[in-house]
Amino acid sequence: MTLAHVLLPQRLEKTYTYFLPPTLVHLPEGSFVRVPFGSREKVGILWRKEESAKEETSFKIKEVLVGMDVPALPEKLRRFAAWLAQYTLTPVGLVLKMVLPKDEHLELLPETFLWTCHPPLKPLTPTRQKVCDLVARDPYHTSAHALGMCAGVSPQVVSALEKAGVLSKAPVLDGDEGQGEPDLKGTPAVLSPEQNAAAKTLCHQVEENAFCVTLLDGVTGSGKTQVYLEAVAKALSKGRQVLILLPEISLTPQGIARFENRFGVSPLLWHSGVGPSAKRKTWHRVLSGNPCVVIGARSALFLPFSQLGLIVVDEEHEHAYKQEQGVFYHARDMAVVRARLERVPLILASATPSVETVVNVTLGKYTCLKLTERFAKAVLPTIELVDLRVHKKTGGPRRWICDPMVQALTQNLAAGAQSLLFLNRRGYAPLTLCRSCGERVSCAYCSSWLVEHRSLDILMCHQCGHKQKRPQACPSCEAPDALVACGPGVERLHEEVTALFPKARVGMIASDQGSVQLRQDLLSDMEEGRLDILIGTQMIAKGHHFPGLVFVGVVDADLGLCGGDLRACERTYQLLHQVSGRCGREEVPGHVMIQSFAPDHPVMQALSAGDRDAFMTAEIDARRLYEMPPFARLVAFIFSSTDEKSVEEAARAFVHRAPRTPGIMLMGPSPAPLAKVNRRWRWRVLAKADKTVKIHPFVQHCLRQTPMPSKVTLHVDVDPYSFL
DNA sequence: AGCACGCCGACT
DNA sequence: GTCGGCGTGCTC
């Protein structure tokens, strides 16, 4: 009897065992199967087959119902899912859920396939030739069976041809062909000698087709994208698939145009904004092995590529790659794992690489390619620090831009050049305070302040999204008209700038302002010189190329430094460096002004001196000294419950029962810095392990021996990035 | 995820 | 007395 161990895309730790009926024994592992589960039927993956004489089990074994007409999940992908599950301490079934499209989409299989005939290695037999001739005349057929019928041969011939790699099929849906065959004779970019050398190395790696990780470390504006697109072209020319990960998809029409110019086709996009039918199409295409390029957010890492040839992680240092709900994983790190399992090269691109990546370069695990010149003779901007302790006073009350910055803006406007003001804070004011009793208006469901959004005339919680009207009287002391807005957000900054420069064309961008289209229009306006001043949050810090931008003002450089996060300095440096890099990308040299209350801080000093390497070295030394990642491994345990008391008890019990293990240190329990979010109280415990100690067995042991009270949920975050 | 089983409040 | 709330636990 053949047993089928089937994995279901649900929160399940293990596979379920079924009998594989004689009609289905040929199904390979990885096949999609339909199985009875409880009172209903479910789609799952034949994870493992097992031959067994007879089986005595405590449960009754049901039979696999049918196999589905979907190609089996590649073995490498299954291994990736299993690896990720054990590393992140997530039920495998949950990981599988990220791999599979929605159940209902699976059932709607593509009706028609586009068949492609590849040059055969050896001469074809007459029967096989018939099939290839037919495909050449008419490439659209529903299934292998139908194709065989049309050609007057048995379906086995078609399958044999598929297996031999002579024939391949790609799903065609809704009559829309989507991404066609890439045209590699498109216009290759004109590269500088430095870019060219880097591109050559990357292309060589693609050619070798072995696992390796390369950091593409290029200053802002050095044309990293053009360089890695050459490697992408190389992979495509070999008939392979490419995955390009971006931290968040803010791909402008210009960005897509650049891609289309190079390859003659649009990339396949994969992110939360892509509709279900496009996703289904992409998912099937990728599984069918059709050469294509997917540009996606972190979830694209779970697509079932069957011919992967290259992975690119752009803006490698971005924290948006860390997912902190559902399955807790870091897409950059998991991309390394996937590339290793797929045995393909991986490119990490950044102008401000993460400490983790730089350490891996120094250890020789990753190689590094540097791009030191800005493209087309542009030079890096000068960076000037403004000490707010000195200049604040002259600004007067409720002024967020100090005199030197006002002067710089005035001059820049007079010169007809563009300016950008960066403030990483949405809304009008981060705090509403009662002048009478000192009450700070906070969220009913979270331990956080409500942020005023004046354009929407509301107070909003940035933790849970709760919105309420701005109260007339203080909610605490009921004093009327005593509430005042404290501190600036981009909206308020916009107010000040328009008051200061009434004639200037001023635009503002924040993730909560207007529609996607509106924001894209604003970006285009800026790119094409229809704006004088653009104000924005970190949405404008990355990736954009504003040819006419000469001045960048950082309104509050200290924002990211508070909070005691292990990576606060690194993140602040990266963010400010990235914004600075927006200006001076053409002939006119750029100028950056940074307002700070702590201009002596190493981050500010490093920025103004333009000494990234010294900053990185100091940061790495500090991490080593304090035995922090990447020189140690962290695992965070987050306890949460609507009941304040039971969370604390659970967290304390957990630490109390955890075994003392050499090389592993437990910190906490302590209430989370944001003690309550969405009506749930949170406590945290942090485990730190020496690199020499395996932390997973320890964590598993802890989890097994501490039964959670049902009211309390526990999240485990391996390699945490957020400490809130 | 569903869908069962199971123990406490407002209806005919 | 019953209907039904959704809390907890199982599905090969």
Side-chain angles (χ1 to χ4, degrees):
Chain A
M1 201 65 195
T2 309
L3 293 181
H5 300 282
V6 175
L7 185 61
L8 298 170
Q10 285 173 218
R11 190 171 201 96
L12 295 168
E13 300 278 359
K14 55 184 188 64
T15 55
Y16 281 73
T17 310
Y18 295 84
F19 286 124
L20 206 51
T23 49
L24 297 176
V25 280
H26 64 277
L27 280 182
E29 291 181 345
S31 298
F32 285 76
V33 288
R34 193 176 284 282
V35 291
F37 193 66
S39 57
R40 284 159 323 113
E41 290 177 12
K42 296 233 123 206
V43 170
I45 298 297
L46 173 50
W47 208 246
R48 195 165 57 82
K49 285 207 284 190
E50 189 193 348
E51 285 303 331
S52 129
K54 66 165 182 215
E55 193 73 5
E56 62 287 340
T57 46
S58 52
F59 46 81
K60 57 174 195 284
I61 300 182
K62 295 183 182 176
E63 245 185 23
V64 173
L65 299 169
V66 280
M68 301 182 70
D69 192 15
V70 182
L73 279 194
E75 205 233 299
K76 288 165 177 173
L77 177 56
R78 282 178 280 138
R79 284 175 54 199
F80 176 60
W83 193 96
L84 192 130
Q86 68 82 32
Y87 185 80
T88 60
L89 298 149
T90 310
V92 227
L94 252 199
V95 179
L96 182 67
K97 204 182 162 193
M98 299 198 292
V99 170
L100 301 193
K102 297 259 165 293
D103 288 13
E104 59 269 31
H105 295 162
L106 247 182
E107 326 234 10
L108 298 165
L109 286 173
E111 291 97 38
T112 314
F113 290 96
L114 172 66
W115 293 81
T116 331
C117 197
H118 307 286
L121 291 170
K122 52 184 183 190
L124 294 169
T125 62
T127 17
R128 291 185 167 202
Q129 190 62 52
K130 267 200 230 170
V131 179
C132 289
D133 286 347
L134 178 65
V135 167
R137 285 198 308 275
D138 175 15
Y140 295 101
H141 296 274
T142 48
S143 62
H145 189 84
L147 176 58
M149 285 294 138
C150 290
V153 304
S154 76
Q156 280 91 328
V157 179
V158 181
S159 340
L161 280 168
E162 272 193 273
K163 208 170 220 169
V166 180
L167 275 184
S168 66
K169 63 179 180 191
V172 181
L173 301 144
D174 325 321
D176 176 11
E177 243 87 309
Q179 188 183 32
E181 285 296 309
D183 174 17
L184 296 167
K185 289 176 223 87
T187 7
V190 184
L191 299 180
S192 70
E194 192 184 50
Q195 284 180 307
N196 205 32
K200 262 198 160 153
T201 311
L202 296 177
C203 287
H204 179 70
Q205 290 173 354
V206 172
E207 195 72 57
E208 295 276 293
N209 197 36
F211 168 66
C212 64
V213 184
T214 307
L215 169 63
L216 184 57
D217 174 4
V219 297
T220 51
S222 60
K224 289 182 289 295
T225 314
Q226 284 140 309
V227 171
Y228 72 64
L229 284 185
E230 290 307 304
V232 172
K234 184 57 149 186
L236 283 173
S237 75
K238 294 184 69 201
R240 306 300 291 268
Q241 303 171 317
V242 180
L243 169 63
I244 301 176
L245 289 180
L246 297 180
E248 58 224 73
I249 304 290
S250 54
L251 214 55
T252 56
Q254 289 88 338
I256 297 188
R258 179 153 65 153
F259 188 95
E260 281 173 351
N261 288 341
R262 182 65 187 82
F263 298 111
V265 290
S266 328
L268 301 168
L269 298 183
W270 187 273
H271 55 88
S272 55
V274 174
S277 96
K279 276 197 170 173
R280 174 164 47 107
K281 208 187 299 186
T282 300
W283 193 89
H284 278 106
R285 175 172 292 245
V286 147
L287 180 59
S288 75
N290 215 245
C292 58
V293 179
V294 175
I295 300 186
R298 55 186 180 223
S299 59
L301 188 57
F302 299 96
L303 281 168
F305 294 97
S306 59
Q307 290 296 324
L308 197 60
L310 173 69
I311 305 178
V312 179
V313 180
D314 204 350
E315 309 290 357
E316 160 286 315
H317 61 277
E318 277 293 327
H319 289 49
Y321 281 123
K322 183 70 202 282
Q323 172 145 83
E324 265 151 354
Q325 29 177 350
V327 181
F328 291 60
Y329 68 94
H330 197 298
R332 179 238 295 145
D333 298 345
M334 294 308 114
V336 176
V337 175
R338 181 137 194 211
R340 196 178 66 215
L341 290 171
E342 301 270 355
R343 299 181 212 281
V344 298
L346 172 73
I347 300 171
L348 303 173
S350 175
T352 49
S354 61
V355 166
E356 282 77 4
T357 297
V358 172
V359 168
N360 278 326
V361 170
T362 8
L363 291 175
K365 288 187 187 171
Y366 300 173
T367 50
C368 179
L369 294 172
K370 279 194 190 314
L371 300 175
T372 54
E373 304 153 9
R374 283 201 139 186
F375 202 64
K377 290 185 205 132
V379 293
L380 284 170
T382 57
I383 297 182
E384 183 186 347
L385 295 172
V386 183
D387 190 340
L388 282 183
R389 293 168 302 187
V390 177
H391 286 282
K392 188 79 185 190
K393 293 160 196 132
T394 63
R398 314 259 175 94
R399 280 276 305 274
W400 319 110
I401 313 174
C402 66
D403 288 342
M405 196 176 279
V406 174
Q407 279 162 28
L409 280 167
T410 312
Q411 277 172 24
N412 204 41
L413 266 173
Q418 288 178 307
S419 308
L420 186 148
L421 287 177
F422 172 70
L423 175 62
N424 202 11
R425 206 180 239 157
R426 288 147 55 208
Y428 183 84
L431 169 65
T432 305
L433 188 80
C434 173
R435 258 180 312 192
S436 171
C437 71
E439 161 83 358
R440 293 169 292 187
V441 182
S442 52
C443 179
Y445 313 117
C446 310
S447 42
S448 59
W449 299 336
L450 291 177
V451 179
E452 181 177 353
H453 286 244
R454 195 160 281 190
S455 63
L456 305 168
D457 193 29
I458 51 155
L459 300 182
M460 186 161 85
C461 175
H462 284 185
Q463 296 309 317
C464 68
H466 167 72
K467 291 173 186 140
Q468 63 178 66
K469 287 214 79 177
R470 191 173 181 276
Q472 281 300 306
C474 168
S476 174
C477 72
E478 289 165 21
D481 301 317
L483 296 175
V484 282
C486 284
V490 276
E491 281 184 35
R492 199 172 200 179
L493 186 62
H494 182 256
E495 189 179 270
E496 180 180 7
V497 170
T498 42
L500 281 167
F501 308 103
K503 287 188 188 132
R505 297 166 295 174
V506 184
M508 176 186 38
I509 290 193
S511 58
D512 53 8
Q513 292 279 320
S515 61
V516 177
Q517 188 57 51
L518 198 100
R519 291 197 288 272
Q520 224 146 60
D521 290 348
L522 274 167
L523 287 170
S524 304
D525 286 347
M526 188 67 182
E527 275 170 32
E528 285 149 32
R530 290 188 293 272
L531 283 179
D532 298 310
I533 302 175
L534 180 64
I535 296 166
T537 57
Q538 59 178 314
M539 286 202 88
I540 55 165
K542 293 158 288 188
H544 302 292
H545 181 73
F546 304 125
L549 180 62
V550 169
F551 176 77
V552 168
V554 176
V555 176
D556 188 345
D558 312 325
L559 248 179
L561 286 175
C562 49
D565 183 319
L566 131 83
R567 283 173 256 257
C569 290
E570 183 193 0
R571 194 165 45 225
T572 302
Y573 181 88
Q574 287 162 343
L575 187 56
L576 298 186
H577 185 98
Q578 296 277 344
V579 220
S580 306
R582 291 317 101 205
C583 72
R585 290 171 148 244
E586 304 269 320
E587 300 84 41
V588 189
H591 180 53
V592 180
M593 199 177 264
I594 296 177
Q595 296 190 154
S596 170
F597 279 102
D600 301 325
H601 193 285
V603 170
M604 304 307 154
Q605 287 299 311
L607 279 165
S608 76
D611 199 347
R612 192 194 83 184
D613 292 344
F615 174 74
M616 278 307 267
T617 311
E619 191 65 20
I620 291 169
D621 287 346
R623 297 270 191 98
R624 189 184 288 116
L625 181 67
Y626 295 108
E627 294 174 317
M628 278 293 165
F631 302 102
R633 167 151 289 141
L634 295 179
V635 175
F637 302 87
I638 303 118
F639 301 80
S640 74
S641 168
T642 48
D643 181 50
E644 191 178 0
K645 209 164 183 183
S646 37
V647 224
E648 179 178 351
E649 278 166 13
R652 289 197 188 283
F654 179 87
V655 174
H656 185 73
R657 298 179 72 150
R660 299 207 180 150
T661 313
I664 295 180
M665 193 171 113
L666 275 189
M667 293 171 269
S670 54
L674 262 165
K676 187 174 64 160
V677 172
N678 242 328
R679 302 166 204 243
R680 294 183 76 86
W681 298 88
R682 293 132 35 101
W683 277 64
R684 296 181 60 102
V685 172
L686 197 61
K688 187 172 88 169
D690 289 357
K691 275 267 146 156
T692 51
V693 186
K694 288 206 183 339
I695 200 168
H696 283 82
F698 169 82
V699 173
Q700 271 155 347
H701 178 84
C702 291
L703 295 178
R704 249 181 275 123
Q705 75 162 210
T706 320
M708 275 299 117
S710 54
K711 294 192 93 175
V712 182
T713 50
L714 169 57
H715 283 123
V716 181
D717 186 356
V718 180
D719 304 331
Y721 272 63
S722 163
F723 294 85
L724 292 181

